[in-house]
Amino acid sequence: MDLNALHSFRVAACDLNGQLRGKRVPPSYADKLSKGVVRMPFSALNVDLWGADIEDSPLVFESGDADGILLPTERGPVPVPWLETETALVLMSLYDDQGKPFAGDPRHALTSVLQRYAERGWSVVAATELEFTLLDSSGARPVPPINPLTGRRLVDEAVLSMAEMDAFDAFFTDLYDGCEAMSIPAQTAISESGIGQFEINLNHQDAMRCADDTLLFKVLTRGLARKHGFTATFMAKPYAQDAGNGMHVHFSVVDQDGQNIFDNGGPEGTDLLRSAIAGCLSAMPGSTLIFAPHGNSYTRLVPGAHAPTEACWAYENRTAALRVPGGAPSARRIEHRVAGGDINPYLMLSAVLGAALNGIEDGTEPPAPITGNAYEIDGLPQLAGDWASAITALETDPQVARIFPAPLISNLAMTKRQEILRFNERPPEEHWLSYLEAV
């Protein structure tokens, strides 16, 4: 993509909440991006949900609110199909003047985790399943959208309904075209169990590319929905009494010879698979804040609501937090089912893959896989039950400390505590407005 031919383009990095922060720049910047021509305060990646500085953050007054350097990632420039004017977006990462990665940049956290795999001669293949809800946000509360074919508002669930998919065909056609233009590997789309809820799967690929594309897909989906006259949200729970939006991730690990290290030729998988599962289970309660980063997230994490609340695993069982799908042994993998649609994909993949590698490094063995309904089994380890306790768990969990740098953990905890205070100052019936298109 020729950035020099554009009127202007965007450069942006991902903050702790999964929002893009950056600048609009002229085409003259195109050939200078790798030379550090774009600078941005370190604090910009560690702001709260609304973009406000974190009170008492060491990144603001204590350090003089110093600048870092934005450098382009390997993802390269992508078109921006939701805008009328032809332009591009370049994903960036933040460094200091000596070229050291900024510890508060979520993408660098994932880079560090993947480097641990690379040191073993391994690489990670990952895929995401993203649920989102189309709705009408023009009033005092969110309501289902108007069916473009009938002109009537949606009122019922429509699981795997082709009629529902056909009703929103114009939007989904644009969405698939946008994914193709941005080289996002969109696969199957379905109508999900909530009113106006849909799911699209992204094909398996390199884990970092998976994180980049998951972020870009969310931005694309929200932007195109606005063009079609409604709103797309990845909120964990848009409606209190309806299905929540999840975001499952599938991953496997391949060695230098391209062999899946989880594959032993049979359905049970290798010892390395079980150690990875043990690591994920061990870190899961302490990582709850990564999988459920907002107050609204905890309205989804309730027993019996198709969102795991216990740290357990199983073969071919969708009530478990970790599922080992069936199928060909060469595709043996782990499905991590805890995260909501409102996550930061870099932090989420860091937490999942880092925990799996912790388990492999320690050679730990998981408990026996469950059978039956996980919600009816007593004594299973529980995820953090609310936003405040999840923050404390993140700060104190030794497995989390092995995955993320201490400054990122501290800044994320400060960010979330500030958000709790700010939400307490707002009427509860207005909270959805803050989350709607921000997460």
Side-chain angles (χ1 to χ4, degrees), residues 266-267 316 324-333:
E316 279 293 10
V324 179
S330 61
R332 192 65 61 232
R333 63 193 185 276

Side-chain angles (χ1 to χ4, degrees), residues 262-430:
F262 295 159
D263 171 23
N264 72 339
E268 68 280 357
T270 62
D271 291 344
L272 290 173
L273 171 72
R274 289 186 292 279
S275 289
I277 288 170
C280 286
L281 294 176
S282 177
M284 193 175 291
S287 303
T288 304
L289 186 66
I290 303 296
F291 308 133
H294 306 286
N296 176 262
S297 308
Y298 295 85
T299 61
R300 170 180 169 267
L301 291 181
V302 294
H306 297 286
T309 55
E310 299 88 7
C312 61
W313 76 286
Y315 292 98
E316 279 293 10
N317 185 333
R318 287 185 167 86
T319 69
L322 299 179
R323 168 178 171 252
V324 179
S330 61
R332 192 65 61 232
R333 63 193 185 276
I334 296 171
E335 180 188 12
H336 199 292
R337 300 176 53 80
V338 179
D342 54 351
I343 52 82
N344 177 320
Y346 300 111
L347 296 181
M348 183 275 297
L349 277 167
S350 297
V352 170
L353 301 180
L357 193 52
N358 286 353
I360 290 173
E361 289 173 349
D362 296 344
T364 48
E365 185 70 20
I370 68 160
T371 58
N373 186 350
Y375 301 113
E376 297 178 351
I377 300 175
D378 294 329
L380 294 174
Q382 299 292 302
L383 276 67
D386 60 74
W387 203 9
S389 61
I391 298 170
T392 301
L394 184 86
E395 291 178 299
T396 57
D397 189 273
Q399 297 299 323
V400 171
R402 294 171 62 181
I403 300 169
F404 295 102
L408 189 148
I409 295 172
S410 175
N411 287 328
L412 181 58
M414 293 177 69
T415 298
K416 293 301 159 182
R417 288 197 172 99
Q418 177 162 305
E419 290 175 3
I420 288 177
L421 292 174
R422 295 192 69 180
F423 271 113
N424 287 341
E425 298 169 351
R426 296 168 183 243
E429 63 272 16
E430 295 180 5

